[in-house]
DNA sequence: GCCAACGTTGGC
DNA sequence: GCCAACGTTGGC
């Protein structure tokens, strides 16, 4: 069991979208970074939990929790010529980009980036590291427990 | 919209 | 394998 943090732009997919259809598996499309891809393709396991982070919005922060609910498979958007995530160098025989499905797993208080930065317990969190842009990052068990308490969730 | 930081590309 | 140029991320 491992823990993760996954960034999404809420204008694209938000925690509200997941919560509205809690049984639905949402494919995590659009990751075009090799490190993040490797986390999804190789490191994640079905049943892992992730903080669902809202990025690129007025108040970025942790909005809830989702569960990894599929094995990895090729991101279909890489093959679609009109898709913004189209990758002409990828082929169906040898896909570059892999993803997993996630589904809603809970939510609590909204924890803004500022609130997270204010916690000395999270000083070493990957999300908060200077210059971090990675859209998927591992979360330590200590960080997970601390933050879920802040969310006022049991998980 | 700005810009710092980072990742990728491609010439050499 | 180096590195300059370029593109992207994402907070502000």
């Amino acid at each position: 069991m491992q823990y993760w943090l996954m960034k999404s732009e809420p204008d694209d997919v938000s925690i509200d979208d997941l919560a509205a259809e809690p049984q639905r598996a949402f494919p995590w499309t659009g990751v075009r970074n090799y490190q993040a891809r490797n986390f999804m393709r190789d490191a994640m396991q079905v049943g892992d939990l992730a903080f669902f982070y809202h990025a690129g919005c007025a108040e970025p922060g942790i909005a809830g929790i989702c569960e990894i609910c599929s094995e990895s498979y090729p991101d279909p958007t890489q093959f679609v010529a009109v898709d913004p995530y189209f990758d002409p160098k990828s082929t169906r025989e040898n896909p570059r980009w892999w993803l997993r499905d996630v589904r809603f797993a809970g939510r609590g208080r909204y924890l803004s980036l500022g609130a997270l930065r204010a916690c000395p317990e999270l000083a070493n969190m990957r999300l908060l590291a200077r210059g971090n842009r990675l859209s998927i990052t591992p979360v330590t068990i200590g960080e997970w427990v601390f933050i879920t308490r802040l969310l006022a969730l049991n998980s």
Side-chain angles (χ1 to χ4, degrees):
Chain A
M1 177 81 168
Q2 287 182 271
Y3 301 97
W4 307 94
L5 182 141
M6 301 171 76
K7 296 179 184 174
S8 178
E9 298 197 6
D11 286 348
D12 183 12
V13 182
S14 77
I15 193 72
D16 296 325
D17 298 322
L18 270 67
E21 298 177 84
Q23 305 306 318
R24 178 173 161 195
F26 287 74
W28 202 267
T29 55
V31 167
R32 295 295 181 268
N33 170 284
Y34 288 104
Q35 219 178 332
R37 178 206 67 179
N38 291 347
F39 287 143
M40 284 204 287
R41 190 188 61 182
D42 308 327
M44 284 180 176
Q45 294 181 284
V46 173
D48 282 358
L49 295 173
F51 292 125
F52 192 105
Y53 181 91
H54 283 181
C57 54
E59 191 171 38
I62 291 175
I65 294 178
C66 60
E67 178 184 359
I68 308 304
C69 66
S70 82
E71 300 296 338
S72 61
Y73 63 95
D75 181 343
T77 62
Q78 71 195 300
F79 306 123
V80 181
V82 296
D83 193 284
Y85 294 118
F86 176 63
D87 184 345
K89 293 179 181 171
S90 189
T91 65
R92 290 185 186 275
E93 295 71 30
N94 190 19
R96 274 192 178 188
W97 307 111
W98 296 68
L99 53 65
R100 295 198 183 229
D101 294 344
V102 304
R103 81 161 84 88
F104 182 71
R107 72 191 309 179
R109 296 175 49 227
Y110 188 85
L111 299 177
S112 71
L113 180 59
L116 296 170
R117 285 198 191 284
C119 297
E121 295 88 346
L122 301 177
N124 295 321
M125 195 176 179
R126 187 94 171 256
L127 170 75
L128 306 180
R130 182 170 173 270
N132 170 62
R133 295 185 316 167
L134 204 52
S135 65
I136 298 177
T137 48
V139 171
T140 68
I141 179 68
E143 292 160 353
W144 183 267
V145 169
F146 181 79
I147 292 171
T148 50
R149 283 185 187 140
L150 291 184
L151 287 165
L153 279 174
N154 298 315
S155 66

